[in-house]
Amino acid sequence: MSDTQMDTGTKWLATAGLRPTRQRVTLATLLVGDGNHRHVTAESLFDAAKTKGDSVSLATVYNTLRAFCDAGLLQEVTVDGSRSYFDTNTHDHPHFFWEDEARLTDAPSEQLVIAQLPDAPEGAEIASVDVVIRLRKKT
């Protein structure tokens, strides 16, 4: 990882007031160092860190991703209620989930139209709406 990429990762942490520990900087650099948005699982980020030769445990990756979400740096997208993806683009937008590849990508938000939402039950308010469009190859 270049110094510029590490600087980008460190600045990203600073925007949320997170202390730049070695592990956080390592993972932040992998997530945003090149300036591109990405969708990762804890396991894929752990593998990327290992490939780069960085020493970080899978438990640390999980804890760091949770801290990044809590700080508003990442958006967690749950697929099937059992698998979480973490998105560096925290703006509201829909996703495609490619079932054959277990991969999450952004879907074009300008094409999504939600005409009406159901009323929230009494005493509740709608906090957000997550749209995951599941795709598979045609047979």
Side-chain angles (χ1 to χ4, degrees):
M1 290 183 266
S2 72
D3 287 343
T4 302
Q5 289 175 320
M6 288 184 71
D7 286 345
T8 300
T10 302
K11 288 177 185 171
W12 187 63
L13 293 173
T15 64
L18 289 176
R19 193 167 49 92
T21 65
R22 180 189 61 80
Q23 293 95 340
R24 285 179 179 170
V25 171
T26 294
L27 297 175
T29 301
L30 288 169
L31 287 167
V32 300
D34 63 1
N36 294 320
H37 286 296
R38 56 186 32 86
H39 303 87
V40 300
T41 62
E43 293 80 7
S44 70
L45 186 58
F46 173 72
D47 290 342
K50 273 194 340 190
T51 299
K52 295 278 187 189
D54 294 314
S55 175
V56 61
S57 71
L58 184 56
T60 297
V61 172
Y62 273 105
N63 292 335
T64 302
L65 288 171
R66 176 62 39 224
F68 289 176
C69 285
D70 291 346
L73 293 173
L74 293 177
Q75 172 185 13
E76 183 175 8
V77 180
T78 304
V79 178
D80 286 337
S82 61
R83 183 158 207 160
S84 288
Y85 290 80
F86 299 89
D87 188 354
T88 57
N89 180 355
T90 58
H91 296 93
D92 289 336
H93 63 283
H95 291 95
F96 286 133
F97 179 68
W98 302 82
E99 290 182 338
D100 300 328
E101 303 168 31
R103 184 171 56 96
L104 193 73
T105 61
D106 290 339
S109 56
E110 66 278 357
Q111 295 178 5
L112 178 67
V113 177
I114 299 176
Q116 184 174 350
L117 295 174
D119 293 334
E122 189 173 325
E125 65 182 6
I126 296 173
S128 67
V129 175
D130 297 324
V131 177
V132 176
I133 303 158
R134 301 175 71 83
L135 303 173
R136 66 175 149 243
K137 292 181 182 172
K138 291 181 181 181
T139 54

